[in-house]
Amino acid sequence: MSLDHNTQVVLLGVVLLGAAAGLAGSLLQLRGRSLLADPLGHATLPGIALAFLWQIARGGEGRDLPTLLLGALVASLAAAGAMLLLGRVRRLDDDGRLAVILTFFYGGGVALMAMAQQVPAGRLSGIQAFLTGSAAQMVSDDVVLIAVLGGVSVGLLAAFWKEFVVLCFDATFARATGMPTGRLDFALLLATSLVIVAGLRAVGLILIMALLIVPPAAARFWTRSPGSMSLVSALFGAVAAVIGAYTSTLAPRLPTGPLIVLASSALFIVSLLFGVERGLVVARVRRRNARGATT
Amino acid sequence: MTWDWSLDGPVLLLGCVCAIALAIPGTLLVVRRMGMMSEAIAHAALPGVIVAALLTQTVDLGVLLLGALVVGVLTTAAIQALRQATQLDAGTAIGVVFTSLFAFGLLLLSHVHNVRLDPHMILFGNLNLAPFGATTGVPLVGQVPVPTATLSVLAVVNLALFGLCRKELLVTSFDPLQARMQGVPANLVSHAMLVTATVTTVAAFEAVGAILVVSMTTVPAMTAARLCTRMTSTVLTACAIGCLGVVLGHVAAITVPPVLGPLLAGEAGRAIVDTSTTGATAVVYALLFVLAVLFSPRDGLLVDAWRRRRLATA
């Protein structure tokens, strides 16, 4: 099959994004914090709105992409910081922390966006594409951006891999042996936020969390070791990206972001049933064999 | 913008009945640590609404709500089934199910042309517009906006259900084993509670949008739980905080932006007159929660510090 240049650019971009998201998401999941991808993704909205208003204040049109993405990253990190800070409050479980952070940041984002819409000089239309993404309009600069942000994220995770794994499996032990668990947790969230910002153009701030949650969940049915789970997860993320991006070229007006997510959902269902380690079919066969062996 | 009761009154009324209707299932979800379920139901409602609209070729409110309700119930069932059949943690199970459904909804949305559906309205809701659509006649009261009437009924039903099943809800929430030993059908009560939560979420979602539904369900209940120890007082306090947040949020949405606009956007910011009540109310809820964390007489950080100091000097 031959693909035109535009399609190649989009494919390369989403593959890099899918792999980076799969990797960061796998550690997030092992840490038991998958759903944190939800508030961290939604928290980019107030950052984008503030970066837009800041550009307007300096006489711009508010469409400078690096500035908008920097705003998104800072806001996402602020949400991560707030998440860790709220962790010190007694009688407050993860679920509650997520809800409060989501409420504050996304509610603030909606309020700021409503304000930004009233600025006459601004051109907000392109910015609303950050909500659900617009992969088809990606250019090679966007791919470079994804490669840089995703690369930093992967590099960060690889550099402290051993520490992260210890933290995920036994946080108390990690603390007892003198590891800076607070800083490690923040580094993990930083790696996640970098992937989220990288994905804003391609899949948007609402769907990016799916790429951080679904491929790692699918990977868990195939393996038990954290290293291979992360690799399988990154692979699933990349494969889902290829399938989704390619499918969207088959007919006009098929949005790439949702198709990538649905491709990863399909991978999840296949893994849930047929994964060799924890898949439902395999588990049933194993139970039957075990029963046969004892009688 | 100036205050005008004929415009601001219906907004406040709808916001308050919505907050009360959601605070009751919200408190029950929060004590079971399932607050993010409402996020899942609110997002999963999107494909439900669209499929219903496509099948019937109408945007009739009842039909859309039915579609959202069916998908909402399926969502909660799918999440429960995933948690029971696999070793995935609750957060992952919730995340996998609702992000997939939401993506499906967005895919459908890109192909809906002959049905008038506004994705922005669905995602963000608009409390400022919701009470000014269709009205329905109510005996003794007169014409009432449809969402206000629906949510008032749900608020009363939820309060009545809570009053009737208080003991069962309490024991199944805190000690399911004890509940089973006493012969309380714990599973049935849980499922009934989730269905009530789903119905209310879906009805409110249509009026105030996904974000505010999640905020209204979880955050006032969490704030109330920091102030109260008993279930009934927690539920009633959550209702009160829900209403307080709507009033403060609406006032803030009118008064804060003219001041904040020029600060953020300079000269061009003078054009900013107000903001969305939906967004402002969500922010107010989060701030009220932070206040409760700091100043709750029960175990607020301030009281804690003071107690520790007294112990140290003693």
Side-chain angles (χ1 to χ4, degrees):
Chain A
M1 77 194 167
S2 67
L3 297 169
D4 60 80
H5 177 70
N6 271 350
T7 316
Q8 284 173 5
V9 167
V10 171
L11 269 179
L12 184 62
V14 293
V15 163
L16 291 174
L17 178 67
L23 193 66
S26 67
L27 278 173
L28 206 58
Q29 186 154 123
L30 290 173
R31 186 84 179 93
R33 288 181 173 165
S34 279
L35 218 45
L36 195 55
D38 185 18
L40 290 191
H42 283 70
T44 54
L45 189 64
I48 294 168
L50 283 175
F52 171 83
L53 290 170
W54 186 75
Q55 290 178 57
I56 296 290
R58 297 167 63 90
E61 266 193 336
R63 290 172 68 87
D64 181 43
L65 190 64
T67 312
L68 293 171
L69 293 187
L70 188 66
L73 182 63
V74 170
S76 185
L77 288 178
M83 187 74 197
L84 297 177
L85 199 65
L86 281 182
R88 299 184 178 182
V89 175
R90 281 190 291 140
R91 285 201 305 120
L92 182 60
D93 51 77
D94 270 1
D95 194 78
R97 283 195 283 165
L98 291 175
V100 169
I101 303 279
L102 183 65
T103 290
F104 181 74
F105 281 88
Y106 203 47
V110 169
L112 287 170
M113 276 302 213
M115 287 167 60
Q117 269 164 356
Q118 297 166 23
V119 176
R123 289 177 55 198
L124 203 59
S125 55
I127 290 171
Q128 277 160 351
F130 284 134
L131 277 176
T132 49
S134 52
Q137 275 131 44
M138 275 187 352
V139 292
S140 34
D141 278 358
D142 294 321
V143 177
V144 172
L145 200 73
I146 290 178
V148 171
L149 291 171
V152 174
S153 168
V154 172
L156 187 64
L157 294 174
F160 299 102
W161 179 258
K162 215 169 65 187
E163 286 80 2
F164 281 129
V165 172
V166 174
L167 178 71
C168 289
F169 280 88
D170 198 339
T172 321
F173 172 77
R175 208 168 301 127
T177 52
M179 281 186 182
T181 51
R183 261 175 278 169
L184 277 173
D185 264 328
F186 189 75
L188 179 55
L189 298 186
L190 172 64
T192 309
S193 293
L194 285 168
V195 171
I196 287 171
V197 172
L200 283 179
R201 274 282 285 181
V203 296
L205 61 89
I206 301 179
L207 286 183
I208 182 67
M209 67 175 149
L211 291 186
L212 285 157
I213 297 175
V214 184
R220 291 193 82 159
F221 293 101
W222 295 95
T223 170
R224 279 177 194 276
S225 100
S228 48
M229 177 207 158
S230 295
L231 289 180
V232 173
S233 167
L235 180 72
F236 278 176
V239 170
V242 172
I243 298 174
Y246 183 69
T247 317
S248 74
T249 62
L250 296 180
R253 288 187 292 100
L254 281 177
T256 315
L259 281 173
I260 293 175
V261 176
L262 289 172
S264 71
S265 313
L267 281 174
F268 175 81
I269 292 173
V270 171
S271 307
L272 168 70
L273 293 174
F274 305 113
V276 293
E277 195 58 55
R278 293 194 177 104
L280 296 182
V281 174
V282 172
R284 172 154 295 185
V285 170
R286 253 188 221 151
R287 257 203 311 273
R288 181 170 297 166
N289 288 347
R291 210 178 297 141
T294 51
T295 50
Chain B
M1 258 170 81
T2 50
W3 192 268
D4 177 358
W5 275 110
S6 65
L7 289 176
D8 297 305
V11 172
L12 290 185
L13 184 66
L14 175 59
C16 287
V17 291
C18 191
I20 292 171
L22 285 170
I24 301 154
T27 308
L28 294 167
L29 284 176
V30 163
V31 297
R32 289 167 190 233
R33 308 185 169 195
M34 291 167 76
M36 289 301 274
M37 272 305 250
S38 71
E39 169 88 345
I41 299 167
H43 279 78
L46 182 68
V49 166
I50 298 170
V51 169
L54 286 176
L55 285 179
T56 59
Q57 293 293 313
T58 57
V59 283
D60 180 60
L61 185 68
V63 172
L64 299 189
L65 289 189
L66 192 67
L69 183 61
V70 170
V71 177
V73 172
L74 286 178
T75 306
T76 52
I79 290 169
Q80 301 280 53
L82 255 190
R83 284 182 62 184
Q84 273 161 16
T86 68
Q87 292 170 338
L88 295 177
D89 61 293
T92 308
I94 291 177
V96 167
V97 173
F98 91 78
T99 53
S100 303
L101 282 167
F102 192 70
F104 182 56
L106 286 177
L107 179 67
L108 288 176
L109 200 60
S110 66
H111 277 258
V112 174
H113 296 290
N114 41 0
V115 183
R116 193 179 49 82
L117 278 175
D118 180 3
H120 259 262
M121 187 78 180
I122 295 174
L123 295 181
F124 296 132
N126 195 336
L127 194 51
N128 302 73
L129 293 180
F132 301 106
T135 58
T136 177
V138 176
L140 302 178
V141 187
Q143 290 293 309
V144 177
V146 175
T148 312
T150 321
L151 285 163
S152 304
V153 171
L154 278 172
V156 173
V157 170
N158 285 352
L159 271 174
L161 278 177
F162 175 74
L164 286 174
C165 312
R166 205 164 50 90
K167 280 205 186 103
E168 287 76 8
L169 287 167
L170 203 64
V171 72
T172 49
S173 297
F174 289 103
D175 197 344
L177 199 66
Q178 166 78 7
R180 278 225 297 278
M181 277 170 17
Q182 287 180 342
V184 176
N187 270 333
L188 186 72
V189 173
S190 292
H191 284 128
M193 188 206 75
L194 278 175
V195 171
T196 317
T198 308
V199 173
T200 319
T201 303
V202 165
F205 164 84
E206 182 72 25
V208 299
I211 324 139
L212 196 53
V213 167
V214 179
S215 305
M216 274 183 169
T217 310
T218 51
V219 183
M222 287 167 59
T223 312
R226 302 205 80 79
L227 302 173
C228 311
T229 44
R230 306 193 72 85
M231 184 82 130
T232 310
S233 52
T234 309
V235 166
L236 295 177
T237 311
C239 293
I241 293 172
C243 295
L244 179 68
V246 169
V247 175
L248 291 180
H250 190 57
V251 171
I254 293 171
T255 54
V256 176
V259 183
L260 200 58
L263 279 179
L264 294 175
E267 210 42 48
R270 293 193 190 283
I272 298 173
V273 288
D274 62 357
T275 185
S276 105
T277 298
T278 314
T281 304
V283 173
V284 167
Y285 282 145
L287 294 178
L288 287 176
F289 175 77
V290 171
L291 284 182
V293 166
L294 292 175
F295 302 113
S296 158
R298 197 180 150 194
D299 59 354
L301 295 182
L302 204 73
V303 173
D304 256 15
W306 182 69
R307 276 195 197 128
R308 229 173 303 150
R309 199 163 154 183
R310 230 178 44 164
L311 273 176
T313 50

